[in-house]
Amino acid sequence: MKRLRLTVQLLFTILSNGYLYGFLHGKIYQGNLKYACVPGLNCYSCPGAVASCPIGALQALLNRQGFRVPFGALGFFFVIGSLLGRFVCGWLCPFGLAQDLLHKIPVFRKRKRLPFHSVLKYGKYIALFFLVCIGSAFLFGGYAKVPAFCKYLCPSGTLFGAIPLLAANESLRGQIGGLFYWKLGILLLVILLSIKVYRPFCQYLCPLGAIYGFFNRFSLVQIHWKEEQCIACMACEKACPVALSRDEISRSPECIRCGRCVEVCPGNCLSWRPR
Amino acid sequence: MDFWKNREKMAWVWGTLAGFLLLGIGAVQNDFSVIWKKAVMICMECIGIG
């Protein structure tokens, strides 16, 4: 299962960032595929990105003159969320893959959560409400509308967008200022934390995870727990990388459906099953 | 009781249908061209320059 998940993550990352010309020439893809979004957090300013980022799309719609409900982005979240929930985070998100790989680096004693997890886990809802929604629609930048989450926080944009673009495009390099170093600092912090803690950005800051988490309870893709067969060995709880209890698995908004619990269950009482 | 159980089981269907409806409304109000226009230009804010 671990190998299958890694393969899917790698394939999806390569597929959604497959515009090689962009990496070589410091440009981005400008074709029609960008009318659509990929399910995971994937900056559309990544030179390889062949589709749009859903959080970037939501902010672009909120940045319009006047206020209009961003139906296009909401529809996308409802469709993907209702079908997959946070399965997207575990299997399809390029920035999730980056954090998974960083966590495999064998330095530091590994932790599943940060201290004060029960408070910090609400950070992603705060990022969603204040930066993505309120920030993009009303505030910041001298009251001009800006994509506040992308501008001030998103480390995925720095890793997949800024660094490869700036490496290949000299004219952009000349414009680097304080904001870039702020974002680079956030990226470095997330990288360091990811080596120690499992997916800190997904657990504490990702607004996309906050949205998909809402759908976890009723999405089509589920991990089922046959309570009557369970021998309470707690293997699933020990294996869960985000430290969920048996009855929280799959239904909790924190579950990223990585499937490690299914893999380790000795009694086969946990299984992937559509609802 | 069964009615409520089934309703919960079917929630993903209603969610998906609602999603397609919202996508349709989005298409009518030109949301996708707004997204495309943003996505085909280098987003200076996203890369920390703007």
Side-chain angles (χ1 to χ4, degrees):
Chain A
M1 176 78 82
K2 256 187 199 170
R3 196 169 287 176
L4 173 68
R5 187 164 80 97
L6 183 63
T7 311
V8 172
Q9 285 176 301
L10 282 170
L11 274 177
F12 205 81
T13 301
I14 292 167
L15 271 176
S16 50
N17 293 285
Y19 185 62
L20 284 178
Y21 180 88
F23 285 112
L24 296 173
H25 298 274
K27 295 195 172 2
I28 62 169
Y29 170 73
Q30 295 183 311
N32 287 341
L33 287 174
K34 280 202 168 167
Y35 278 104
C37 295
V38 284
L41 201 69
N42 193 110
C43 184
Y44 42 40
S45 283
C46 169
V50 295
S52 295
C53 168
I55 289 294
L58 174 60
Q59 287 184 115
L61 294 175
L62 289 169
N63 282 167
R64 283 181 292 194
Q65 288 232 317
F67 179 78
R68 262 189 277 174
V69 180
F71 286 113
L74 292 178
F76 177 82
F77 293 134
F78 264 79
V79 172
I80 301 293
S82 300
L83 294 175
L84 302 174
R86 285 197 82 177
F87 178 85
V88 172
C89 308
W91 292 70
L92 305 176
C93 179
F95 198 63
L97 169 66
Q99 290 172 88
D100 278 356
L101 295 176
L102 286 165
H103 198 64
K104 287 183 198 287
I105 297 173
V107 287
F108 306 141
R109 199 165 153 247
K110 305 296 179 189
R111 291 183 67 130
K112 291 182 177 182
R113 293 174 166 179
L114 281 174
F116 308 109
H117 170 84
S118 54
V119 178
L120 292 177
K121 70 179 180 184
Y122 295 107
K124 54 184 172 291
Y125 304 101
I126 292 171
L128 173 65
F129 186 72
F130 285 104
L131 286 178
V132 178
C133 299
I134 301 289
S136 297
F138 303 110
L139 301 173
F140 296 107
Y143 299 102
K145 292 178 177 181
V146 292
F149 172 75
C150 299
K151 185 169 180 173
Y152 299 110
L153 190 64
C154 183
S156 175
T158 315
L159 181 65
F160 294 119
I163 292 173
L165 260 183
L166 294 170
N169 191 325
E170 207 178 322
S171 64
L172 285 175
R173 268 204 301 278
Q175 300 175 51
I176 287 177
L179 182 63
F180 175 75
Y181 293 111
W182 161 259
K183 288 197 66 183
L184 193 63
I186 289 177
L187 173 64
L188 290 175
L189 182 68
V190 170
I191 287 175
L192 278 176
L193 276 176
S194 301
I195 299 172
K196 172 94 178 151
V197 182
Y198 187 75
R199 291 203 183 202
F201 181 73
C202 306
Q203 290 199 69
Y204 304 112
L205 286 174
C206 183
L208 194 55
I211 294 171
Y212 289 145
F214 165 75
F215 294 94
N216 256 7
R217 189 168 278 272
F218 60 85
S219 66
L220 171 65
V221 173
Q222 292 282 342
I223 294 171
H224 281 262
W225 175 40
K226 291 178 207 139
E227 198 175 350
E228 64 283 0
Q229 281 183 29
C230 183
I231 55 170
C233 66
M234 305 298 170
C236 52
E237 288 190 14
K238 282 178 206 150
C240 178
V242 290
L244 296 176
S245 63
R246 275 177 305 172
D247 47 348
E248 284 177 315
I249 285 171
S250 197
R251 293 171 77 86
S252 161
E254 305 300 315
C255 177
I256 58 165
R257 278 132 190 218
C258 63
R260 281 199 207 168
C261 50
V262 179
E263 194 182 5
V264 298
C265 181
N268 291 328
C269 43
L270 285 163
S271 59
W272 290 103
R273 219 187 321 150
R275 181 166 277 280
Chain B
M1 196 65 188
D2 278 351
F3 172 74
W4 289 106
K5 267 188 188 169
N6 288 336
R7 256 170 71 108
E8 198 190 326
K9 275 191 173 176
M10 296 299 282
W12 71 270
V13 177
W14 302 124
T16 310
L17 289 175
F20 281 116
L21 178 69
L22 293 172
L23 282 172
I25 300 171
V28 170
Q29 68 170 25
N30 247 354
D31 283 4
F32 300 105
S33 54
V34 173
I35 293 169
W36 182 82
K37 276 180 197 155
K38 178 74 181 173
V40 296
M41 307 288 284
I42 292 177
C43 168
M44 297 305 231
E45 291 97 346
C46 306
I47 63 172
I49 289 178

mmCIF file of all heavy atoms in Angstrom, chain A residues 152-194:
data_model
loop_
_atom_site.group_PDB
_atom_site.id
_atom_site.type_symbol
_atom_site.label_atom_id
_atom_site.label_comp_id
_atom_site.label_asym_id
_atom_site.label_seq_id
_atom_site.Cartn_x
_atom_site.Cartn_y
_atom_site.Cartn_z
ATOM 1 N N TYR A 152 0.901 35.875 1.066
ATOM 2 C CA TYR A 152 1.568 35.965 2.366
ATOM 3 C C TYR A 152 1.909 34.623 3.002
ATOM 4 O O TYR A 152 2.689 34.574 3.935
ATOM 5 C CB TYR A 152 0.703 36.772 3.350
ATOM 6 C CG TYR A 152 0.469 38.179 2.898
ATOM 7 C CD1 TYR A 152 -0.786 38.608 2.479
ATOM 8 C CD2 TYR A 152 1.520 39.094 2.863
ATOM 9 C CE1 TYR A 152 -1.000 39.911 2.054
ATOM 10 C CE2 TYR A 152 1.311 40.395 2.439
ATOM 11 C CZ TYR A 152 0.055 40.792 2.035
ATOM 12 O OH TYR A 152 -0.142 42.076 1.600
ATOM 13 N N LEU A 153 1.297 33.538 2.551
ATOM 14 C CA LEU A 153 1.505 32.296 3.298
ATOM 15 C C LEU A 153 1.930 31.086 2.460
ATOM 16 O O LEU A 153 2.830 30.354 2.873
ATOM 17 C CB LEU A 153 0.209 31.945 4.067
ATOM 18 C CG LEU A 153 0.331 30.818 5.081
ATOM 19 C CD1 LEU A 153 1.279 31.198 6.208
ATOM 20 C CD2 LEU A 153 -1.031 30.459 5.664
ATOM 21 N N CYS A 154 1.359 30.894 1.292
ATOM 22 C CA CYS A 154 1.461 29.598 0.611
ATOM 23 C C CYS A 154 2.909 29.162 0.321
ATOM 24 O O CYS A 154 3.567 29.712 -0.560
ATOM 25 C CB CYS A 154 0.668 29.615 -0.683
ATOM 26 S SG CYS A 154 0.698 28.013 -1.505
ATOM 27 N N PRO A 155 3.394 28.123 1.034
ATOM 28 C CA PRO A 155 4.757 27.647 0.766
ATOM 29 C C PRO A 155 4.838 26.792 -0.501
ATOM 30 O O PRO A 155 5.907 26.644 -1.080
ATOM 31 C CB PRO A 155 5.081 26.808 2.008
ATOM 32 C CG PRO A 155 3.768 26.396 2.554
ATOM 33 C CD PRO A 155 2.753 27.397 2.135
ATOM 34 N N SER A 156 3.686 26.270 -0.937
ATOM 35 C CA SER A 156 3.661 25.480 -2.165
ATOM 36 C C SER A 156 4.002 26.366 -3.367
ATOM 37 O O SER A 156 4.731 25.963 -4.272
ATOM 38 C CB SER A 156 2.272 24.850 -2.337
ATOM 39 O OG SER A 156 2.184 24.181 -3.551
ATOM 40 N N GLY A 157 3.468 27.595 -3.346
ATOM 41 C CA GLY A 157 3.765 28.555 -4.419
ATOM 42 C C GLY A 157 5.247 28.893 -4.466
ATOM 43 O O GLY A 157 5.825 29.043 -5.550
ATOM 44 N N THR A 158 5.869 29.004 -3.292
ATOM 45 C CA THR A 158 7.306 29.313 -3.255
ATOM 46 C C THR A 158 8.115 28.134 -3.778
ATOM 47 O O THR A 158 9.036 28.304 -4.579
ATOM 48 C CB THR A 158 7.744 29.643 -1.806
ATOM 49 O OG1 THR A 158 6.787 30.520 -1.225
ATOM 50 C CG2 THR A 158 9.105 30.297 -1.778
ATOM 51 N N LEU A 159 7.733 26.922 -3.335
ATOM 52 C CA LEU A 159 8.515 25.742 -3.712
ATOM 53 C C LEU A 159 8.330 25.379 -5.185
ATOM 54 O O LEU A 159 9.309 25.170 -5.903
ATOM 55 C CB LEU A 159 8.103 24.549 -2.823
ATOM 56 C CG LEU A 159 8.843 23.241 -3.073
ATOM 57 C CD1 LEU A 159 10.326 23.384 -2.736
ATOM 58 C CD2 LEU A 159 8.246 22.106 -2.240
ATOM 59 N N PHE A 160 7.075 25.303 -5.625
ATOM 60 C CA PHE A 160 6.822 24.833 -6.992
ATOM 61 C C PHE A 160 6.744 25.973 -8.015
ATOM 62 O O PHE A 160 6.913 25.738 -9.205
ATOM 63 C CB PHE A 160 5.519 24.025 -7.056
ATOM 64 C CG PHE A 160 5.570 22.743 -6.281
ATOM 65 C CD1 PHE A 160 4.711 22.517 -5.225
ATOM 66 C CD2 PHE A 160 6.493 21.763 -6.603
ATOM 67 C CE1 PHE A 160 4.762 21.332 -4.496
ATOM 68 C CE2 PHE A 160 6.555 20.574 -5.890
ATOM 69 C CZ PHE A 160 5.688 20.357 -4.834
ATOM 70 N N GLY A 161 6.441 27.192 -7.547
ATOM 71 C CA GLY A 161 6.322 28.318 -8.474
ATOM 72 C C GLY A 161 7.556 29.195 -8.471
ATOM 73 O O GLY A 161 8.279 29.298 -9.468
ATOM 74 N N ALA A 162 7.818 29.830 -7.321
ATOM 75 C CA ALA A 162 8.864 30.863 -7.277
ATOM 76 C C ALA A 162 10.259 30.314 -7.560
ATOM 77 O O ALA A 162 10.970 30.845 -8.420
ATOM 78 C CB ALA A 162 8.839 31.539 -5.901
ATOM 79 N N ILE A 163 10.656 29.262 -6.864
ATOM 80 C CA ILE A 163 12.052 28.800 -6.973
ATOM 81 C C ILE A 163 12.389 28.344 -8.400
ATOM 82 O O ILE A 163 13.363 28.836 -8.975
ATOM 83 C CB ILE A 163 12.370 27.740 -5.890
ATOM 84 C CG1 ILE A 163 12.348 28.443 -4.514
ATOM 85 C CG2 ILE A 163 13.718 27.064 -6.134
ATOM 86 C CD1 ILE A 163 12.486 27.536 -3.323
ATOM 87 N N PRO A 164 11.599 27.467 -9.026
ATOM 88 C CA PRO A 164 11.953 27.083 -10.404
ATOM 89 C C PRO A 164 11.840 28.236 -11.399
ATOM 90 O O PRO A 164 12.665 28.346 -12.310
ATOM 91 C CB PRO A 164 10.960 25.978 -10.756
ATOM 92 C CG PRO A 164 10.060 25.794 -9.619
ATOM 93 C CD PRO A 164 10.459 26.691 -8.517
ATOM 94 N N LEU A 165 10.852 29.121 -11.202
ATOM 95 C CA LEU A 165 10.708 30.256 -12.137
ATOM 96 C C LEU A 165 11.884 31.213 -12.013
ATOM 97 O O LEU A 165 12.452 31.652 -13.016
ATOM 98 C CB LEU A 165 9.425 31.026 -11.834
ATOM 99 C CG LEU A 165 8.199 30.753 -12.697
ATOM 100 C CD1 LEU A 165 7.063 31.656 -12.281
ATOM 101 C CD2 LEU A 165 8.486 30.915 -14.172
ATOM 102 N N LEU A 166 12.239 31.535 -10.779
ATOM 103 C CA LEU A 166 13.329 32.477 -10.562
ATOM 104 C C LEU A 166 14.668 31.874 -11.003
ATOM 105 O O LEU A 166 15.559 32.591 -11.470
ATOM 106 C CB LEU A 166 13.395 32.899 -9.095
ATOM 107 C CG LEU A 166 12.192 33.724 -8.607
ATOM 108 C CD1 LEU A 166 12.225 33.898 -7.097
ATOM 109 C CD2 LEU A 166 12.156 35.084 -9.276
ATOM 110 N N ALA A 167 14.786 30.556 -10.881
ATOM 111 C CA ALA A 167 16.032 29.910 -11.301
ATOM 112 C C ALA A 167 16.216 30.018 -12.815
ATOM 113 O O ALA A 167 17.340 30.148 -13.306
ATOM 114 C CB ALA A 167 16.023 28.447 -10.871
ATOM 115 N N ALA A 168 15.089 29.997 -13.558
ATOM 116 C CA ALA A 168 15.212 29.971 -15.015
ATOM 117 C C ALA A 168 14.958 31.332 -15.668
ATOM 118 O O ALA A 168 15.206 31.499 -16.854
ATOM 119 C CB ALA A 168 14.236 28.940 -15.585
ATOM 120 N N ASN A 169 14.462 32.293 -14.918
ATOM 121 C CA ASN A 169 14.064 33.577 -15.517
ATOM 122 C C ASN A 169 14.806 34.736 -14.854
ATOM 123 O O ASN A 169 14.489 35.145 -13.728
ATOM 124 C CB ASN A 169 12.539 33.728 -15.349
ATOM 125 C CG ASN A 169 11.979 34.871 -16.163
ATOM 126 O OD1 ASN A 169 12.629 35.904 -16.329
ATOM 127 N ND2 ASN A 169 10.783 34.682 -16.684
ATOM 128 N N GLU A 170 15.797 35.271 -15.579
ATOM 129 C CA GLU A 170 16.673 36.281 -14.993
ATOM 130 C C GLU A 170 15.948 37.601 -14.710
ATOM 131 O O GLU A 170 16.202 38.262 -13.706
ATOM 132 C CB GLU A 170 17.849 36.513 -15.933
ATOM 133 C CG GLU A 170 19.087 37.004 -15.213
ATOM 134 C CD GLU A 170 20.264 37.174 -16.161
ATOM 135 O OE1 GLU A 170 20.417 36.348 -17.078
ATOM 136 O OE2 GLU A 170 21.006 38.153 -15.975
ATOM 137 N N SER A 171 15.012 37.975 -15.600
ATOM 138 C CA SER A 171 14.325 39.254 -15.415
ATOM 139 C C SER A 171 13.487 39.255 -14.133
ATOM 140 O O SER A 171 13.327 40.281 -13.472
ATOM 141 C CB SER A 171 13.455 39.571 -16.627
ATOM 142 O OG SER A 171 12.448 38.610 -16.747
ATOM 143 N N LEU A 172 12.937 38.080 -13.773
ATOM 144 C CA LEU A 172 12.167 37.987 -12.524
ATOM 145 C C LEU A 172 13.088 38.055 -11.306
ATOM 146 O O LEU A 172 12.734 38.646 -10.286
ATOM 147 C CB LEU A 172 11.373 36.676 -12.485
ATOM 148 C CG LEU A 172 10.123 36.582 -13.356
ATOM 149 C CD1 LEU A 172 9.535 35.177 -13.289
ATOM 150 C CD2 LEU A 172 9.079 37.596 -12.895
ATOM 151 N N ARG A 173 14.273 37.488 -11.449
ATOM 152 C CA ARG A 173 15.224 37.481 -10.317
ATOM 153 C C ARG A 173 15.560 38.901 -9.861
ATOM 154 O O ARG A 173 15.762 39.157 -8.684
ATOM 155 C CB ARG A 173 16.510 36.757 -10.716
ATOM 156 C CG ARG A 173 16.499 35.277 -10.393
ATOM 157 C CD ARG A 173 17.895 34.714 -10.247
ATOM 158 N NE ARG A 173 18.734 34.865 -11.420
ATOM 159 C CZ ARG A 173 18.729 34.066 -12.482
ATOM 160 N NH1 ARG A 173 17.906 33.043 -12.509
ATOM 161 N NH2 ARG A 173 19.532 34.268 -13.494
ATOM 162 N N GLY A 174 15.598 39.818 -10.819
ATOM 163 C CA GLY A 174 15.934 41.200 -10.501
ATOM 164 C C GLY A 174 14.877 41.899 -9.649
ATOM 165 O O GLY A 174 15.122 42.973 -9.112
ATOM 166 N N GLN A 175 13.667 41.307 -9.558
ATOM 167 C CA GLN A 175 12.564 41.977 -8.841
ATOM 168 C C GLN A 175 12.350 41.445 -7.429
ATOM 169 O O GLN A 175 11.394 41.822 -6.759
ATOM 170 C CB GLN A 175 11.271 41.806 -9.636
ATOM 171 C CG GLN A 175 11.343 42.406 -11.035
ATOM 172 C CD GLN A 175 10.079 42.087 -11.822
ATOM 173 O OE1 GLN A 175 8.984 42.308 -11.346
ATOM 174 N NE2 GLN A 175 10.242 41.571 -13.029
ATOM 175 N N ILE A 176 13.223 40.547 -6.992
ATOM 176 C CA ILE A 176 13.046 39.945 -5.664
ATOM 177 C C ILE A 176 13.119 41.016 -4.574
ATOM 178 O O ILE A 176 13.982 41.891 -4.609
ATOM 179 C CB ILE A 176 14.139 38.876 -5.424
ATOM 180 C CG1 ILE A 176 13.851 37.642 -6.262
ATOM 181 C CG2 ILE A 176 14.217 38.489 -3.953
ATOM 182 C CD1 ILE A 176 14.910 36.564 -6.156
ATOM 183 N N GLY A 177 12.187 40.948 -3.622
ATOM 184 C CA GLY A 177 12.185 41.918 -2.516
ATOM 185 C C GLY A 177 11.874 41.241 -1.201
ATOM 186 O O GLY A 177 11.963 40.011 -1.077
ATOM 187 N N GLY A 178 11.475 42.040 -0.222
ATOM 188 C CA GLY A 178 11.221 41.533 1.128
ATOM 189 C C GLY A 178 10.158 40.448 1.174
ATOM 190 O O GLY A 178 10.264 39.492 1.946
ATOM 191 N N LEU A 179 9.107 40.592 0.349
ATOM 192 C CA LEU A 179 8.014 39.621 0.359
ATOM 193 C C LEU A 179 8.522 38.223 0.002
ATOM 194 O O LEU A 179 8.104 37.222 0.598
ATOM 195 C CB LEU A 179 6.924 40.059 -0.627
ATOM 196 C CG LEU A 179 5.697 39.167 -0.708
ATOM 197 C CD1 LEU A 179 4.948 39.122 0.610
ATOM 198 C CD2 LEU A 179 4.764 39.619 -1.832
ATOM 199 N N PHE A 180 9.436 38.178 -0.967
ATOM 200 C CA PHE A 180 9.981 36.879 -1.363
ATOM 201 C C PHE A 180 10.713 36.228 -0.188
ATOM 202 O O PHE A 180 10.551 35.037 0.063
ATOM 203 C CB PHE A 180 10.927 37.028 -2.557
ATOM 204 C CG PHE A 180 11.608 35.741 -2.919
ATOM 205 C CD1 PHE A 180 10.912 34.732 -3.577
ATOM 206 C CD2 PHE A 180 12.929 35.506 -2.566
ATOM 207 C CE1 PHE A 180 11.524 33.523 -3.883
ATOM 208 C CE2 PHE A 180 13.543 34.301 -2.872
ATOM 209 C CZ PHE A 180 12.845 33.313 -3.533
ATOM 210 N N TYR A 181 11.504 37.031 0.539
ATOM 211 C CA TYR A 181 12.255 36.456 1.656
ATOM 212 C C TYR A 181 11.322 36.022 2.796
ATOM 213 O O TYR A 181 11.585 35.060 3.488
ATOM 214 C CB TYR A 181 13.320 37.444 2.138
ATOM 215 C CG TYR A 181 14.393 37.634 1.093
ATOM 216 C CD1 TYR A 181 14.525 38.826 0.404
ATOM 217 C CD2 TYR A 181 15.232 36.580 0.750
ATOM 218 C CE1 TYR A 181 15.474 38.974 -0.596
ATOM 219 C CE2 TYR A 181 16.188 36.726 -0.253
ATOM 220 C CZ TYR A 181 16.298 37.921 -0.914
ATOM 221 O OH TYR A 181 17.223 38.046 -1.905
ATOM 222 N N TRP A 182 10.235 36.751 2.988
ATOM 223 C CA TRP A 182 9.210 36.355 3.966
ATOM 224 C C TRP A 182 8.655 34.975 3.612
ATOM 225 O O TRP A 182 8.560 34.072 4.427
ATOM 226 C CB TRP A 182 8.103 37.400 4.008
ATOM 227 C CG TRP A 182 6.802 36.940 4.615
ATOM 228 C CD1 TRP A 182 5.678 36.566 3.949
ATOM 229 C CD2 TRP A 182 6.506 36.772 6.006
ATOM 230 N NE1 TRP A 182 4.692 36.179 4.824
ATOM 231 C CE2 TRP A 182 5.172 36.299 6.100
ATOM 232 C CE3 TRP A 182 7.234 36.975 7.184
ATOM 233 C CZ2 TRP A 182 4.555 36.025 7.313
ATOM 234 C CZ3 TRP A 182 6.611 36.690 8.400
ATOM 235 C CH2 TRP A 182 5.297 36.234 8.458
ATOM 236 N N LYS A 183 8.304 34.819 2.301
ATOM 237 C CA LYS A 183 7.731 33.545 1.864
ATOM 238 C C LYS A 183 8.763 32.420 1.892
ATOM 239 O O LYS A 183 8.448 31.273 2.187
ATOM 240 C CB LYS A 183 7.121 33.686 0.466
ATOM 241 C CG LYS A 183 5.833 34.501 0.475
ATOM 242 C CD LYS A 183 5.024 34.298 -0.773
ATOM 243 C CE LYS A 183 4.511 32.889 -0.861
ATOM 244 N NZ LYS A 183 3.782 32.634 -2.103
ATOM 245 N N LEU A 184 9.995 32.767 1.577
ATOM 246 C CA LEU A 184 11.073 31.773 1.635
ATOM 247 C C LEU A 184 11.275 31.303 3.082
ATOM 248 O O LEU A 184 11.488 30.112 3.335
ATOM 249 C CB LEU A 184 12.366 32.378 1.083
ATOM 250 C CG LEU A 184 13.497 31.398 0.779
ATOM 251 C CD1 LEU A 184 13.092 30.416 -0.316
ATOM 252 C CD2 LEU A 184 14.758 32.149 0.352
ATOM 253 N N GLY A 185 11.168 32.257 4.026
ATOM 254 C CA GLY A 185 11.281 31.913 5.448
ATOM 255 C C GLY A 185 10.178 30.945 5.855
ATOM 256 O O GLY A 185 10.432 29.958 6.568
ATOM 257 N N ILE A 186 8.955 31.201 5.400
ATOM 258 C CA ILE A 186 7.839 30.296 5.729
ATOM 259 C C ILE A 186 8.098 28.916 5.140
ATOM 260 O O ILE A 186 7.903 27.887 5.796
ATOM 261 C CB ILE A 186 6.502 30.883 5.207
ATOM 262 C CG1 ILE A 186 6.129 32.099 6.053
ATOM 263 C CG2 ILE A 186 5.394 29.845 5.238
ATOM 264 C CD1 ILE A 186 4.893 32.816 5.605
ATOM 265 N N LEU A 187 8.575 28.894 3.895
ATOM 266 C CA LEU A 187 8.862 27.601 3.261
ATOM 267 C C LEU A 187 9.932 26.838 4.047
ATOM 268 O O LEU A 187 9.784 25.637 4.304
ATOM 269 C CB LEU A 187 9.316 27.813 1.815
ATOM 270 C CG LEU A 187 9.798 26.555 1.086
ATOM 271 C CD1 LEU A 187 8.668 25.544 0.922
ATOM 272 C CD2 LEU A 187 10.382 26.889 -0.281
ATOM 273 N N LEU A 188 10.991 27.534 4.444
ATOM 274 C CA LEU A 188 12.068 26.863 5.199
ATOM 275 C C LEU A 188 11.547 26.327 6.533
ATOM 276 O O LEU A 188 11.906 25.229 6.949
ATOM 277 C CB LEU A 188 13.237 27.826 5.429
ATOM 278 C CG LEU A 188 14.043 28.170 4.166
ATOM 279 C CD1 LEU A 188 15.104 29.214 4.466
ATOM 280 C CD2 LEU A 188 14.678 26.929 3.565
ATOM 281 N N LEU A 189 10.687 27.115 7.187
ATOM 282 C CA LEU A 189 10.094 26.666 8.449
ATOM 283 C C LEU A 189 9.256 25.410 8.232
ATOM 284 O O LEU A 189 9.351 24.438 9.007
ATOM 285 C CB LEU A 189 9.231 27.793 9.039
ATOM 286 C CG LEU A 189 8.577 27.512 10.382
ATOM 287 C CD1 LEU A 189 9.632 27.413 11.476
ATOM 288 C CD2 LEU A 189 7.564 28.592 10.737
ATOM 289 N N VAL A 190 8.437 25.411 7.163
ATOM 290 C CA VAL A 190 7.597 24.239 6.872
ATOM 291 C C VAL A 190 8.483 23.033 6.531
ATOM 292 O O VAL A 190 8.205 21.907 6.963
ATOM 293 C CB VAL A 190 6.598 24.549 5.727
ATOM 294 C CG1 VAL A 190 5.888 23.288 5.253
ATOM 295 C CG2 VAL A 190 5.569 25.567 6.186
ATOM 296 N N ILE A 191 9.567 23.259 5.797
ATOM 297 C CA ILE A 191 10.472 22.159 5.444
ATOM 298 C C ILE A 191 11.089 21.560 6.717
ATOM 299 O O ILE A 191 11.069 20.339 6.913
ATOM 300 C CB ILE A 191 11.575 22.649 4.467
ATOM 301 C CG1 ILE A 191 10.965 22.870 3.078
ATOM 302 C CG2 ILE A 191 12.733 21.657 4.396
ATOM 303 C CD1 ILE A 191 11.907 23.463 2.055
ATOM 304 N N LEU A 192 11.595 22.430 7.584
ATOM 305 C CA LEU A 192 12.224 21.947 8.830
ATOM 306 C C LEU A 192 11.212 21.202 9.695
ATOM 307 O O LEU A 192 11.489 20.129 10.219
ATOM 308 C CB LEU A 192 12.808 23.118 9.620
ATOM 309 C CG LEU A 192 14.188 23.595 9.161
ATOM 310 C CD1 LEU A 192 14.616 24.823 9.947
ATOM 311 C CD2 LEU A 192 15.223 22.475 9.324
ATOM 312 N N LEU A 193 10.006 21.794 9.827
ATOM 313 C CA LEU A 193 8.968 21.146 10.637
ATOM 314 C C LEU A 193 8.552 19.801 10.033
ATOM 315 O O LEU A 193 8.276 18.854 10.749
ATOM 316 C CB LEU A 193 7.738 22.053 10.743
ATOM 317 C CG LEU A 193 7.763 23.119 11.832
ATOM 318 C CD1 LEU A 193 6.526 23.993 11.733
ATOM 319 C CD2 LEU A 193 7.823 22.488 13.216
ATOM 320 N N SER A 194 8.531 19.738 8.688
ATOM 321 C CA SER A 194 8.096 18.500 8.026
ATOM 322 C C SER A 194 9.054 17.350 8.287
ATOM 323 O O SER A 194 8.650 16.186 8.266
ATOM 324 C CB SER A 194 7.977 18.695 6.514
ATOM 325 O OG SER A 194 7.069 19.700 6.226
#
